[in-house]
Amino acid sequence: MLSFEALQALQLATEFQSGALAPRATGLVWHSDVMIKAPHTFSYLPLFLSPHVSRISFDLSQNIPLHVTSAEWAFNRVDCLKQLTLKQTNHVMSDYFLDSFIPILPWGSLQVLDISPVSVVSVPILITSPHLVKLSLVIVEGQPQDRFNTGRIKIPSRADSSSLEDLSVSTDKFELLETALQLLPSNVRLLSLQCSLGDETSTGDINRLFNLIQQKCNPHTLSELDLRGVNRNLADGGDPLDDDMDDYADISPLLTLSNLEALTIVLPTTRIDLTPEHAEMIPTVWSRIGTLILNTTMTDSWTLSPRIDHTHLTTILRGCPRLRVLGVRFNAIQIKDEPSSSLGRPREWEWATSTLEELWVGDSPILSPSRVAAFLRVHCPAMKKLEYSRYSDPLQGSLIWYDQRWKDVAGRLVL
């Protein structure tokens, strides 16, 4: 790392010429460790800021005023910036420091923005930018600083125009995610949507989320949907055993998204299981699906048997030829021995052409590892990975037996 004296000498020698040390650089990254260990270096940012820079990544700290002034200087002098990553180095997410930069960003050229965190006040500005193609943001509650003035914003924001294709939203509050999605322009043609929630969600929340996604996302363009949440916080006194047997989130609104190629839902505090009707519909409505994962991770909310069995699993496998990764809970208890004769062979034992490579079963009930292994060998000849929930608490009873039996299945399949 160059010393303060060396940087000062270089600045004088180059007559304060912008980008003198990197005249052809197209990218500029100022890491957080540099910001913390040698904050003085940021005052010499002009030495490295080439007029050709199209990618910038800054980790900034509100506690260092030099970061603010230097970053503002940079944003006012780049004409061809297309990609920007803007992070806050300190972990106090309530000062809304980064909101103040939004009015001076080069919105005329900016296409990719990753900013964390911002207040909910900034969301309408970011989400409706007509030039952004990819947007990643972490949203926090509250109001930004007084220095944030929406009147200074140069962004040509129009509610009826959007180039946005990839949106990623992370927040601790479901209401903030809901607000962000509601602000999506009517003509948005998202290809990918990722949502991450840092707080527990109810079944009602998730049903509202599914309906909102159906309303706001173009069913002919959205190809990737990833929804993730957190495990139940038992320290808050919630009783995971006090469940309603009919308290399932309904994925039916998502069945209208006909272009889906990848759907991953990991919401541990919400029960999401396929129904037989869903299994019958999936090959028709999601004919392009390659990855389908529905809550097959360890969670404390699974107390009821799955609503589909192995016959519904084969319906999905046969009807979705592009499927490579499948994660669904199903009842494997009824799987019987493979018939010894091909005459009158049940459809569930007919050899399949499935190209499935990964199967995630969660805590799916199972009795006979040998029969299940034979079944999977027939229906998933290309399978390379079997994932299942792993339990170690003796109080979890039958779940530990399921764990051990699925482990035995993996061993029989040499996975």
Side-chain angles (χ1 to χ4, degrees):
M1 185 181 300
L2 293 174
S3 67
F4 175 84
E5 292 77 12
L7 288 169
Q8 190 175 48
L10 285 168
Q11 197 171 52
L12 291 171
T14 58
E15 298 180 344
F16 296 87
Q17 181 182 350
S18 181
L21 295 187
R24 297 187 180 183
T26 58
L28 178 62
V29 178
W30 226 267
H31 289 296
S32 58
D33 56 345
V34 176
M35 296 288 200
I36 296 171
K37 295 177 183 177
H40 69 276
T41 59
F42 210 56
S43 61
Y44 298 98
L45 177 66
L47 286 170
F48 305 93
L49 190 64
S50 158
H52 305 292
V53 165
S54 61
R55 293 174 289 105
I56 287 180
S57 179
F58 286 161
D59 288 347
L60 304 176
S61 173
Q62 185 183 20
N63 299 325
I64 304 176
L66 180 59
H67 286 189
V68 179
T69 55
S70 298
E72 288 181 342
W73 179 90
F75 295 144
N76 280 313
R77 281 163 177 76
V78 286
D79 298 321
C80 57
L81 186 63
K82 294 183 178 179
Q83 183 174 333
L84 173 63
T85 299
L86 204 54
K87 305 286 186 180
Q88 187 171 332
T89 55
N90 55 316
H91 298 288
V92 179
M93 300 294 241
S94 58
D95 46 24
Y96 320 112
F97 165 53
L98 298 183
D99 289 79
S100 60
F101 292 102
I102 291 175
I104 60 173
L105 294 182
W107 292 107
S109 60
L110 197 59
Q111 297 177 4
V112 178
L113 176 62
D114 184 353
I115 184 168
S116 168
V118 293
S119 74
V120 67
V121 174
S122 297
V123 173
I125 303 161
L126 299 173
I127 213 90
T128 58
S129 169
H131 299 301
L132 281 181
V133 176
K134 184 175 182 179
L135 173 62
S136 300
L137 66 162
V138 174
I139 309 173
V140 292
E141 284 187 298
Q143 298 291 325
Q145 299 172 341
D146 293 338
R147 68 194 297 264
F148 179 74
N149 181 2
T150 55
R152 297 170 55 205
I153 297 174
K154 305 172 184 177
I155 175 174
S157 179
R158 289 166 45 198
D160 62 344
S161 178
S162 177
S163 300
L164 196 60
E165 295 180 353
D166 190 321
L167 175 62
S168 176
V169 181
S170 298
T171 182
D172 283 342
K173 300 296 182 182
F174 174 79
E175 293 76 13
L176 299 183
L177 171 61
E178 197 173 25
T179 296
L181 296 182
Q182 287 171 342
L183 289 167
L184 282 169
S186 58
N187 71 334
V188 70
R189 298 174 66 84
L190 287 179
L191 305 181
S192 176
L193 174 62
Q194 301 96 39
C195 303
S196 178
L197 285 161
D199 198 6
E200 293 185 27
T201 51
S202 68
T203 300
D205 291 338
I206 299 307
N207 282 332
R208 293 208 310 275
L209 177 61
F210 290 166
N211 283 310
L212 191 55
I213 291 172
Q214 178 194 32
Q215 295 166 16
K216 288 294 185 176
C217 294
N218 189 311
H220 306 297
T221 61
L222 190 70
S223 61
E224 179 184 3
L225 179 59
D226 192 309
L227 309 175
R228 297 179 186 264
V230 296
N231 285 312
R232 190 188 306 269
N233 185 3
L234 298 182
D236 289 342
D239 182 2
L241 300 180
D242 186 17
D243 278 335
D244 184 341
M245 65 179 298
D246 296 320
D247 191 28
Y248 287 92
D250 184 7
I251 69 164
S252 297
L254 304 182
L255 295 175
T256 62
L257 304 174
S258 58
N259 198 53
L260 273 185
E261 297 178 8
L263 173 61
T264 300
I265 300 179
V266 182
L267 297 169
T269 60
T270 306
R271 186 182 291 122
I272 300 174
D273 271 342
L274 291 181
T275 66
E277 292 76 20
H278 291 151
E280 294 291 338
M281 293 177 64
I282 283 174
T284 301
V285 298
W286 290 340
S287 60
R288 301 168 60 88
I289 200 75
T291 297
L292 174 59
I293 297 178
L294 299 177
N295 261 18
T296 44
T297 59
M298 185 173 177
T299 173
D300 53 36
S301 66
W302 294 346
T303 57
L304 299 179
S305 296
R307 296 188 288 181
I308 63 170
D309 60 24
H310 64 290
T311 62
H312 303 109
L313 188 75
T314 60
T315 298
I316 296 173
L317 292 174
R318 293 177 184 281
C320 301
R322 301 186 184 188
L323 197 59
R324 297 293 183 273
V325 180
L326 176 62
V328 293
R329 296 177 68 238
F330 70 100
N331 192 333
I333 290 177
Q334 300 301 322
I335 295 178
K336 303 183 185 305
D337 288 322
E338 181 178 5
S340 57
S341 171
S342 60
L343 295 177
R345 191 180 185 88
R347 178 173 173 77
E348 66 187 76
W349 279 102
E350 292 178 2
W351 285 88
T353 57
S354 169
T355 54
L356 191 76
E357 297 178 357
E358 296 183 23
L359 179 62
W360 299 55
V361 299
D363 66 346
S364 296
I366 174 176
L367 284 182
S368 172
S370 60
R371 291 198 293 267
V372 172
F375 178 83
L376 293 178
R377 193 175 291 114
V378 168
H379 290 283
C380 308
M383 191 165 68
K384 302 175 182 177
K385 184 177 182 180
L386 176 65
E387 281 290 334
Y388 50 90
S389 296
R390 292 165 171 81
Y391 298 92
S392 57
D393 187 348
L395 296 177
Q396 291 174 305
S398 61
L399 296 179
I400 293 182
W401 288 109
Y402 295 160
D403 170 347
Q404 295 173 348
R405 287 166 181 161
W406 282 113
K407 181 179 180 179
D408 187 80
V409 171
R412 291 172 183 270
L413 296 174
V414 196
L415 298 176

